[in-house]
Amino acid sequence: MLTVSNPTEHAARIARMSTSVTRTTERLASGQRINRAADDAGGLALSEALRTQVRGNAQAAKNIQAAINIVQIGEDGIQSTTEALQRLRELVVRAANGTNSSASLEAIQTEMDAIKKLALSSFETAHEFRVRLDGDPFDIALDFQVGANAGEMIRVDYEPIRTALIDFLIPAYGFTELANDPEAARFAASRFGGALPPPNTPVPPPPLFPPFPPGTTFEQAFPKLLLVNPNTPGNIQNCFDIVDSAREDLIREAAYLGASHNRLERTLANVETSVLNLASAETRIRDADQAAETTELARSTIIQRSAISMMAQATTRQQSILSLLRETAGDA
C-alpha cells in the first residue's frame, strides 16, 4: 500500500514558517524584540514604564542644569555685593581716622553714596532676576522639578536675600532718600505696607511699625545712618554696624546658595546615572538578540523551504498515482 504525504500538512507548516520568518525579519530590521503588544504584553508594559522614567529623568536633568544656572546668578550677585560692601567698610575705616578734613570726609561720603547704589544693583542681580521669571515681586521662592515624578522638587528660597537687601537699604539711604530713589524705593516699599508714603507722614501706631512718639514722621523715624560726615563716634559706629550686618547676612546667604548649588549638582549626577541605568534595563527588555534572531531566521527559512520541497514532492507523487490509475483503468 502506498503512503501519500498530505499536502495540507505541508501547507500549514509553510504558513507557520512564513509567519516566523516575517516576525524574525521584522525584529532584525527594527532591532527590537517587542514591536507590538502581541510579541510580549508583559515586557511591553514594563518597557513603556521604563521609557517614561528615562524620558522624565532626561528632562529633569535639563531642569536641574537650568536651576544651577539660576542659582549661579544669585551667587554672582552676592559676590559682587560683598565686594561693594568691603569697599564701603574700607571707606568707613578711612573716615574714622582723625586726620581727615571736612573736604576729605565729604569726598568719602560721596563715594560711599555711589557704592551703596552699586551694592543695590548687585543685590538686584541676586534677587531681581528671580522676579523677571514670572513678574511677581512677592513670589520669592523657586521650586525646581528635579525628578521624573510628582513631588520630586528642590526649593530655593530668596526671601532672606530680599530681607537682607531691605535691612541694608533703609539705614543706608534713610526714608527721604528712599522716597526720591525709585529703584531703591521699589524694594523697600514692602517694608512700609506696599508703597512709600510721603516723608512727612506720621508713623502709624504698632503693630505694623515699632512704637514711636506721637507725631513722629517717617523721615524722622527712619533717618539716614550711613554717614561719616561729620566724623562723630555715633556716625562711625552706625556705619560699621550697617556694613558689618549686611556682610554677615550676605555670607549666610552665600553659604545657603552654595549649599543649594551643590545639592543640585549632586542631584544632577544621580539623575544622569539613573537615566543610563533605566535605559540599559529597558534595552535588555525590548531590544532583539541579533545572534538569536539570525539563528531563528536561518532555522525558519530552512524549514519553510523543506516544507515547500516536500509539498512539491507530495503533489507530484499524487499526480503520478492518479495517472497510473487512469492507465490501468484504460487497459481494463
Side-chain angles (χ1 to χ4, degrees):
M1 182 176 182
L2 294 174
T3 301
V4 180
S5 298
N6 188 353
T8 304
E9 295 179 2
H10 297 305
R13 181 178 296 177
I14 292 170
R16 289 196 301 272
M17 291 304 102
S18 295
T19 301
S20 177
V21 168
T22 299
R23 290 188 175 180
T24 303
T25 302
E26 183 180 32
R27 291 182 186 127
L28 288 170
S30 66
Q32 295 184 341
R33 182 180 67 86
I34 304 173
N35 292 288
R36 59 179 65 82
D39 293 336
D40 184 351
L44 177 65
L46 181 55
S47 173
E48 288 297 330
L50 289 172
R51 280 191 174 185
T52 298
Q53 291 297 306
V54 168
R55 296 185 65 171
N57 280 326
Q59 181 58 54
K62 296 177 183 178
N63 292 354
I64 296 170
Q65 188 58 64
I68 290 173
N69 294 338
I70 288 175
V71 171
Q72 283 179 325
I73 294 174
E75 291 178 294
D76 292 343
I78 288 180
Q79 178 61 34
S80 298
T81 307
T82 301
E83 293 173 0
L85 291 178
Q86 292 285 16
R87 178 56 181 163
L88 270 179
R89 200 176 194 283
E90 289 177 9
L91 291 172
V92 174
V93 172
R94 178 180 171 185
N97 195 15
T99 61
N100 291 292
S101 65
S102 178
S104 297
L105 290 175
E106 184 177 347
I108 293 173
Q109 184 67 53
T110 299
E111 184 176 354
M112 290 178 64
D113 288 341
I115 290 177
K116 74 184 180 186
K117 292 181 181 294
L118 176 61
L120 170 61
S121 177
S122 299
F123 259 122
E124 286 185 299
T125 300
H127 175 269
E128 179 68 0
F129 80 93
R130 199 263 129 316
V131 175
R132 292 196 185 104
L133 293 179
D134 62 9
D136 185 354
F138 300 103
D139 182 11
I140 49 183
L142 284 174
D143 292 317
F144 301 115
Q145 179 70 31
V146 297
N149 304 307
E152 296 179 347
M153 308 190 80
I154 291 178
R155 167 168 285 201
V156 178
D157 188 5
Y158 286 84
E159 166 63 22
I161 296 177
R162 187 172 70 101
T163 299
L165 169 63
I166 295 173
D167 289 344
F168 170 75
L169 288 180
I170 293 176
Y173 277 78
F175 192 87
T176 302
E177 277 193 25
L178 282 177
N180 294 324
D181 188 324
E183 185 178 19
R186 182 166 56 89
F187 276 90
S190 61
R191 188 66 61 85
F192 297 94
L196 265 64
N200 58 358
T201 303
V203 179
L208 186 58
F209 297 99
F212 290 102
T216 301
T217 64
F218 278 98
E219 61 184 349
Q220 293 170 338
F222 302 99
K224 179 179 179 177
L225 300 177
L226 191 65
L227 291 171
V228 295
N229 188 26
N231 179 353
T232 66
N235 282 349
I236 296 299
Q237 186 60 52
N238 285 335
C239 290
F240 275 122
D241 290 344
I242 293 168
V243 175
D244 287 343
S245 177
R247 287 177 58 253
E248 291 173 4
D249 289 342
L250 282 176
I251 291 171
R252 183 170 57 251
E253 294 316 307
Y256 170 73
L257 287 184
S260 299
H261 187 164
N262 291 335
R263 182 183 179 190
L264 287 167
E265 286 190 336
R266 288 193 294 270
T267 302
L268 177 60
N270 291 337
V271 169
E272 289 177 338
T273 300
S274 177
V275 169
L276 293 175
N277 292 337
L278 290 171
S280 177
E282 193 271 339
T283 294
R284 287 194 293 272
I285 293 171
R286 193 156 192 152
D287 286 2
D289 183 335
Q290 295 291 326
E293 295 298 338
T294 301
T295 301
E296 176 62 22
L297 177 61
R299 187 187 75 85
S300 298
T301 301
I302 291 171
I303 294 174
Q304 182 187 43
R305 290 176 179 175
S306 175
I308 292 172
S309 177
M310 292 295 292
M311 184 176 180
Q313 292 179 17
T315 302
T316 300
R317 176 173 290 186
Q318 287 180 344
Q319 291 175 350
S320 299
I321 292 173
L322 289 174
S323 178
L324 180 60
L325 290 174
R326 289 193 193 97
E327 291 176 1
T328 301
D331 292 342

